[in-house]
Amino acid sequence: MKFKIHRCNCRKLWSVQTRKTKFTALSVLLDGNWTTELKPERKYNPKGFVTTTGKQDLIVNPASELVGKFEVVSKLIYDKKNVNFNVNHGETLYFAEDGTCYILKK
């Protein structure tokens, strides 16, 4: 099942949704493969998502000790104006409480 993750800035939460369910979290650790998906033709935002296929890879509101086991490589940046991401796929992401998305490695 495909999970779409995006930032809901109005509520300052991360939104994780599938075709059937949706939940929100302050932070999310995605310890698995991910890709980006763009839908520039959409009338409303968000037009860019991070997608993954494994729910077992998602850890909602992870403890700081767990996140500390990883090394920050860079940030995943979404250009809202041009509907584009700076990186299109990878293995580990941390969606932080402040709205920043970090690309991590073990």
Side-chain angles (χ1 to χ4, degrees):
M1 186 178 298
K2 182 164 87 171
F3 290 83
K4 290 183 180 180
I5 306 166
H6 71 275
R7 180 74 175 174
C8 180
N9 285 325
C10 58
R11 296 188 306 166
K12 305 218 182 299
L13 294 171
W14 291 101
S15 176
V16 181
Q17 63 186 51
T18 67
R19 272 186 322 118
K20 297 181 179 182
T21 63
K22 178 180 177 180
F23 63 90
T24 57
L26 292 172
S27 63
V28 177
L29 178 64
L30 194 162
D31 189 12
N33 293 326
W34 58 270
T35 60
T36 58
E37 185 176 311
L38 300 170
K39 296 194 176 202
E41 71 281 354
R42 279 182 62 152
K43 187 174 180 180
Y44 300 105
N45 284 318
K47 296 180 181 183
F49 307 89
V50 171
T51 62
T52 187
T53 55
K55 184 175 182 173
Q56 69 276 4
D57 299 335
L58 293 173
I59 302 167
V60 178
N61 300 324
S64 57
E65 297 82 26
L66 180 60
V67 177
K69 294 179 181 179
F70 296 91
E71 179 184 338
V72 174
V73 175
S74 64
K75 291 181 182 179
L76 178 65
I77 300 171
Y78 174 65
D79 181 356
K80 188 174 181 178
K81 182 178 179 183
N82 296 315
V83 188
N84 196 13
F85 284 95
N86 64 331
V87 178
N88 294 320
H89 57 84
E91 288 193 17
T92 308
L93 284 178
Y94 175 58
F95 302 90
E97 290 183 36
D98 64 0
T100 309
C101 185
Y102 297 99
I103 299 171
L104 305 176
K105 73 175 185 177
K106 292 183 182 182

